[in-house]
Amino acid sequence: MEVAASAGAEGDLKWSRETIPMVLKIVGTRLHQRDLISLLLVSPWLHRTLVSCPSLWLVLDCREMTNAGNRLVAALSLSRYRHVKQINLEFAQDIEDKHLDLSKTKCSDSLQELESINLNVCQKISDRGVETITSACPKLKVFSFYWNVRYFEVNITDKSLQLIADNYPGLEFLNLTRCVKLTDGGLQQILLKCSSLQSLNLYALSSFTDEAYKKISLLANLRFLDLCGAQNLSDQGLTCIAKCKNLVSLNLTWCVRVTDVGVIAIAQGCTSLEFLRSPLINLFGIVGVTDKCLEALSRSRSNTITTLDVNGCIGIKDPDGVVMNCCNISLT
């Protein structure tokens, strides 16, 4: 019995030391990072196995965490995050510029491969924080900091856009939703220098004018554009945007100055929509468009547009009749 017990113990030990770590090494990439961190505490063998897999530690997720600033600095100090590519601080509302400064000072080596940072709703981040990021993270391709809305304090301004434009000509994704202190001047720097942009989110920014919107036409690779609430966008600006031949998704909700002229220009100019399965055009709340623009969209994009939102478009009288022969289009 002692021999059997000894053999069983050895089998359990082998299972713990070899089999479980081997399995986790395979499935670890599918686990949420917080689950991986919990598994580090299970056993020394699991700890060694997981830490030895660099691909498991390419994402640092501090989303909605309390004390996120100190957690960020502590995590970046660990060798397993030496090659981190994505940092998510969304809704980590206690994160401040000083934490980014500390990360740069203490952990600059861990920031050299960073490609994506999410600072959405981080209300205490200002131009100073963006300056720290641009000086410490040379390879960023994705930058998001929506809803930076502190009206009476210094926060994200055109200075941040200038820093981003100067340091990241290869930027591919930028979300500026509701960063209320931005102006045409800052946006134009982005449009002039970040020619690789594929996704640009300008949701709920009513301060920009056609002077900036026209330069969106410089973004030859642009696929996603959100202009919801662009109250100063006119047909002239939209006609320039129609030069973005690769555009897939366009949100024009509450762009109240747009009329049939601008939408027809989009229908005729954004030729890449011919090759896409599920493009989206949102015209919600635009009172200046009529059945005429729907006819143009139906004729030119009937086989590719799958979703068309015309709610609140009081000038459109018979949307169902216009697109009745276009089986792929679903009106919402």
Side-chain angles (χ1 to χ4, degrees):
M1 293 198 47
E2 290 182 1
V3 173
S6 176
E10 289 181 5
D12 290 343
L13 187 61
K14 183 177 181 180
W15 178 266
S16 297
R17 287 184 173 181
E18 299 179 14
T19 307
I20 293 179
M22 182 176 65
V23 171
L24 282 174
K25 199 169 185 178
I26 296 172
V27 304
T29 53
R30 300 187 179 185
L31 296 176
H32 193 281
Q33 188 188 61
R34 297 182 192 185
D35 295 327
L36 286 174
I37 292 172
S38 298
L39 288 172
L40 291 174
L41 305 176
V42 172
S43 74
W45 304 292
L46 276 182
H47 188 283
R48 283 196 295 270
T49 299
L50 294 174
V51 170
S52 68
C53 298
S55 61
L56 299 180
W57 309 103
L58 299 178
V59 177
L60 177 52
D61 185 6
C62 296
R63 188 180 190 274
E64 296 183 333
M65 284 188 177
T66 57
N67 197 29
N70 292 328
R71 289 173 183 261
L72 172 68
V73 178
L76 289 175
S77 300
L78 300 173
S79 59
R80 64 175 178 266
Y81 288 111
R82 186 59 58 87
H83 302 289
V84 67
K85 291 185 178 296
Q86 179 181 341
I87 294 178
N88 186 358
L89 295 166
E90 187 173 47
F91 295 107
Q93 296 189 34
D94 65 339
I95 191 83
E96 299 182 35
D97 292 335
K98 65 181 182 181
H99 297 118
L100 300 178
D101 291 339
L102 282 171
S103 297
K104 175 185 175 181
T105 301
K106 296 183 175 182
C107 322
S108 61
D109 289 346
S110 297
L111 298 172
Q112 297 307 300
E113 302 297 322
L114 190 67
E115 295 179 356
S116 172
I117 188 163
N118 187 332
L119 294 169
N120 293 342
V121 201
C122 294
Q123 301 290 336
K124 297 178 182 179
I125 297 299
S126 70
D127 289 336
R128 172 185 151 195
V130 174
E131 184 171 11
T132 299
I133 292 169
T134 56
S135 63
C137 310
K139 296 184 178 181
L140 274 188
K141 295 181 180 179
V142 176
F143 210 140
S144 184
F145 44 87
Y146 72 59
W147 290 97
N148 188 283
V149 293
R150 292 186 302 168
Y151 287 92
F152 303 109
E153 302 176 54
V154 175
N155 54 355
I156 301 298
T157 70
D158 287 346
K159 180 180 178 181
S160 288
L161 297 192
Q162 181 72 64
L163 288 164
I164 293 170
D166 289 342
N167 288 278
Y168 302 123
L171 193 70
E172 296 177 358
F173 178 102
L174 182 62
N175 189 341
L176 302 174
T177 293
R178 202 61 183 140
C179 292
V180 296
K181 294 188 177 180
L182 304 180
T183 71
D184 280 352
L187 180 58
Q188 287 182 82
Q189 290 301 309
I190 294 291
L191 301 175
L192 289 169
K193 297 180 180 180
C194 299
S195 58
S196 297
L197 271 175
Q198 297 178 25
S199 178
L200 180 60
N201 196 321
L202 304 177
Y203 184 97
L205 291 170
S206 59
S207 60
F208 297 138
T209 71
D210 275 350
E211 184 176 354
Y213 291 134
K214 289 177 181 178
K215 289 185 173 57
I216 292 176
S217 63
L218 299 174
L219 304 179
N221 299 308
L222 193 66
R223 295 173 61 81
F224 174 92
L225 178 61
D226 193 335
L227 295 173
C228 177
Q231 298 179 13
N232 298 316
L233 175 65
S234 73
D235 291 331
Q236 191 174 9
L238 195 55
T239 299
C240 290
I241 292 172
K243 297 176 183 178
C244 297
K245 305 298 184 182
N246 291 310
L247 204 58
V248 176
S249 178
L250 177 62
N251 187 356
L252 297 174
T253 299
W254 297 118
C255 294
V256 293
R257 294 184 60 195
V258 169
T259 72
D260 289 339
V261 173
V263 177
I264 291 173
I266 290 293
Q268 296 174 344
C270 295
T271 55
S272 65
L273 293 179
E274 295 176 357
F275 307 105
L276 297 165
R277 294 181 180 177
S278 56
L280 166 66
I281 294 183
N282 194 332
L283 305 178
F284 186 100
I286 305 180
V287 299
V289 295
T290 69
D291 291 346
K292 185 177 181 180
C293 79
L294 277 194
E295 292 169 359
L297 287 168
S298 299
R299 285 195 304 269
S300 61
R301 299 290 174 262
S302 62
N303 294 322
T304 54
I305 295 175
T306 60
T307 305
L308 183 59
D309 189 346
V310 295
N311 284 300
C313 299
I314 60 176
I316 295 177
K317 304 302 183 182
D318 186 22
D320 293 321
V322 172
V323 299
M324 63 181 299
N325 296 320
C326 304
C327 58
N328 289 333
I329 297 181
S330 173
L331 292 175
T332 63

